[in-house]
Amino acid sequence: MSNLEPVENIESDRSSNHLSRKLTKLLEARLDTDKDTLDALKDLSTFFTENNIKNRRNLRSEIEKRSLRVNEEFLESFRDVKEALDHLYEDVAAMNECCNDMMSRLQATKSQTHDLINETTKLQAESHKIQMKQEVTHAFLDTFHLKPEEIKVLRGTRDGGLDKQFFEVLCKVKKIHNNCKALLRSSQQTAGIEIMEAMALQQEAAYERLYRWTQSECRLLNVESPEINPLLSQAMESLQDRPVLFKYSIDEYANARRAAIVRAFIDSLTRGGVSGTPRPIEMHSHDPLRYVGDMLAWLHQATASEKEIIEAVLKKCSSKELENDIQVALAHITEGLCRPLKVRVEQVLIASEQGAVTLFKLGSVLKFYLHTIQQVIKTEAALLTTLEEMHTLSQKMFYNSLTCHCGKILEKIEMPPADLGPPEALKQTLTLLREVLSCQDACLVSIDDRQKDVPQILTTVIEPSLQMCHVSASKLASADMATYLANCIYLIHSTLMLFEYTDQHLEMLQAQMDAHLDTLVSEQASTIVGQLGLGALYTSLQDFQPKHGPLSSLPGCDALAIQAAVKKLDSFLSAPDSLTIPQSILLLSASLRQALRKRSMELLFNAYTQIYEAVNLSSNNYMEPQLLLPKTPEQVRTLLL
């Protein structure tokens, strides 16, 4: 017994320790974070509704019963699943048996049809090769051969008409001919040569037919307002590959248009427009300027229209020489207008009643239209040559008219009028010159032409006019001659100042006026010096040298002569215009009169200054020079000027 007690004590200690650990674990556990415990308690609450000793004692058995019931329910449910899987297995087994049966049948069939499949595969491969060869053959034929219907289009019908399909086939023939070059570079040289020869024959026949059709279409353009076939420009484009045929076609077109434009020009001259509107140009033949202007305006309009028409015909062409071809064609078309135009313009220019102004205007109109038409026809052309000849003729007739006019005034030279003013012939000539130069603006004369024409016109008119004036004044006294010529030159100078490009002649005329003014100044100064009695003294002073002795000892230079001259000078200074020569009043120009007076007084002032200095020089032995000449040169200058 004594041995058993320690063992029981040990067992009881272990049980108490185990129980205490469990209690400790339960007390330390946190139910709010233990999900399993919470789920168990939640499930327990569904059937453990009342907490009593009986229920606590039966709790374990109750839980086991619930677990057994749940397992039984699960087993029952799984039994249904098992039965479904058994049925599925039986179906799969049946399908496997069926598939095995089909596989055995297919294997048997495959072994039986193996040869047939091989044969079929070979036949499919051969069929594919044949199909590729057929496609290549079709591509080759499409690339290097023409279809029968295309050959028929090239050959055309009896009426010789063309359509767009013809040009498409012709383009294809050209393309085939070019593609044959690739065959010649390959191993198919024989085929390339044969195809190239065949296409060359087709091309030549097509171009021949195209050329005949183009000729026929060009001949239909011989009317004033032609309607251009849209295919004509395409035909011209195609004919560029045959330069000779292309040139012949343009020549045919030019011939047709030349006939049409000449006929239209004659109709405009003689018949006018439709229903007489506009009126015939020759209805205005009595008005030379309008007559020639209307003809040239019609000519310019027709030339511009012809250029537009030929550009429309050749709009699809791209030749490097195209612009030259157009210019040559225009030159040929307008050549027919030269003869009727030249005859009528020459009749107008050569008419004897045409004056210089009208001839100048006609020449300006011809020059203007020559420059204008040169903007359209930019190569050498008969029409431009004709216009140049007409302009040269008009210039020649104009200068002949001016020369005849100037010759007439030189034949009948008038005597200068009593007032020494310009003669009537000079006034008429300057009026003519003014009219000629004034019409340059109205005639649209270019600046270059003005710079060239104005000096030539002035030379033609001014030099004979000046010659007439000099011959007319040849019998006049020097002062009268200077006054008369100064008035004539002043009138010419005033006329030329109104116009441009006259600077050279204005300088020449101004120099001549200054020369005549010098003559009048010398005459005026000599008159004043002589009237004042200072002539002998001034002359002696010019030749005086100290070796001759004192100036006062020379005749006319003594004190008495100086006193007499000073008295006259004083009376003259009170009225400086009292000794003015009559010719100065007859000068037309106020500026010339003013210059004459100013320069004369300056000469008098210079003479007085020299005399004053000589008198006040002690070596000349004048007694009391301040009394002899009481006025200083500055005082005299103030009174004179």
Side-chain angles (χ1 to χ4, degrees), residues 21 28 101-102 215 252 274 279 315 322-323 334-335 352 383 385 394 436 497 617 624:
R21 284 196 301 271
E28 291 178 352
D101 182 55
M102 290 178 65
Q215 273 190 321
E252 190 69 35
V274 180
R279 300 174 65 186
K315 62 182 179 181
L322 181 61
E323 183 61 29
T334 55
E335 185 178 359
S352 58
L383 178 61
T385 303
S394 67
V436 170
M497 285 186 66
L617 194 63
E624 299 181 349

Side-chain angles (χ1 to χ4, degrees), residues 246-361:
F246 180 70
K247 183 179 182 302
Y248 287 163
S249 298
I250 293 181
D251 291 344
E252 190 69 35
Y253 167 85
N255 290 332
R257 293 306 305 156
R258 174 173 174 167
I261 196 174
V262 170
R263 185 166 56 252
F265 184 51
I266 299 300
D267 290 344
S268 297
L269 288 171
T270 57
R271 298 173 58 184
V274 180
S275 301
T277 305
R279 300 174 65 186
I281 296 177
E282 291 190 345
M283 292 285 290
H284 307 290
S285 58
H286 61 280
D287 184 353
L289 193 60
R290 180 174 180 181
Y291 181 45
V292 175
D294 287 349
M295 285 192 292
L296 294 176
W298 188 96
L299 198 65
H300 172 241
Q301 181 180 2
T303 305
S305 299
E306 288 302 319
K307 186 175 182 180
E308 292 178 358
I309 295 173
I310 194 172
E311 286 179 347
V313 171
L314 302 177
K315 62 182 179 181
K316 294 186 178 181
C317 298
S318 57
S319 172
K320 295 181 180 179
E321 301 294 330
L322 181 61
E323 183 61 29
N324 182 61
D325 293 336
I326 292 176
Q327 293 297 326
V328 171
L330 284 176
H332 181 71
I333 291 170
T334 55
E335 185 178 359
L337 301 172
C338 297
R339 180 62 182 171
L341 176 68
K342 185 175 183 180
V343 169
R344 288 164 175 78
V345 175
E346 284 182 346
Q347 288 176 349
V348 172
L349 293 176
I350 299 176
S352 58
E353 67 271 10
Q354 304 300 343
V357 177
T358 302
L359 289 172
F360 182 79
K361 290 181 178 180

Side-chain angles (χ1 to χ4, degrees), residues 179-314:
N179 290 339
C180 287
K181 297 177 182 178
L183 291 178
L184 295 177
R185 291 193 294 267
S186 66
S187 59
Q188 305 295 330
Q189 295 182 356
T190 303
I193 293 174
E194 292 178 355
I195 295 173
M196 184 175 286
E197 291 177 352
M199 291 301 105
L201 293 176
Q202 294 287 357
Q203 269 188 312
E204 293 304 322
Y207 278 120
E208 183 64 29
R209 181 183 171 213
L210 179 60
Y211 170 64
R212 289 196 300 270
W213 180 86
T214 304
Q215 273 190 321
S216 176
E217 287 294 321
C218 290
R219 289 168 184 163
L220 296 177
L221 300 177
N222 61 345
V223 294
E224 184 174 355
S225 300
E227 294 183 1
I228 301 175
N229 190 328
L231 295 177
L232 183 57
S233 59
Q234 194 167 356
M236 288 293 188
E237 180 188 16
S238 299
L239 286 174
Q240 285 185 114
D241 295 331
R242 296 294 185 271
V244 175
L245 298 181
F246 180 70
K247 183 179 182 302
Y248 287 163
S249 298
I250 293 181
D251 291 344
E252 190 69 35
Y253 167 85
N255 290 332
R257 293 306 305 156
R258 174 173 174 167
I261 196 174
V262 170
R263 185 166 56 252
F265 184 51
I266 299 300
D267 290 344
S268 297
L269 288 171
T270 57
R271 298 173 58 184
V274 180
S275 301
T277 305
R279 300 174 65 186
I281 296 177
E282 291 190 345
M283 292 285 290
H284 307 290
S285 58
H286 61 280
D287 184 353
L289 193 60
R290 180 174 180 181
Y291 181 45
V292 175
D294 287 349
M295 285 192 292
L296 294 176
W298 188 96
L299 198 65
H300 172 241
Q301 181 180 2
T303 305
S305 299
E306 288 302 319
K307 186 175 182 180
E308 292 178 358
I309 295 173
I310 194 172
E311 286 179 347
V313 171
L314 302 177

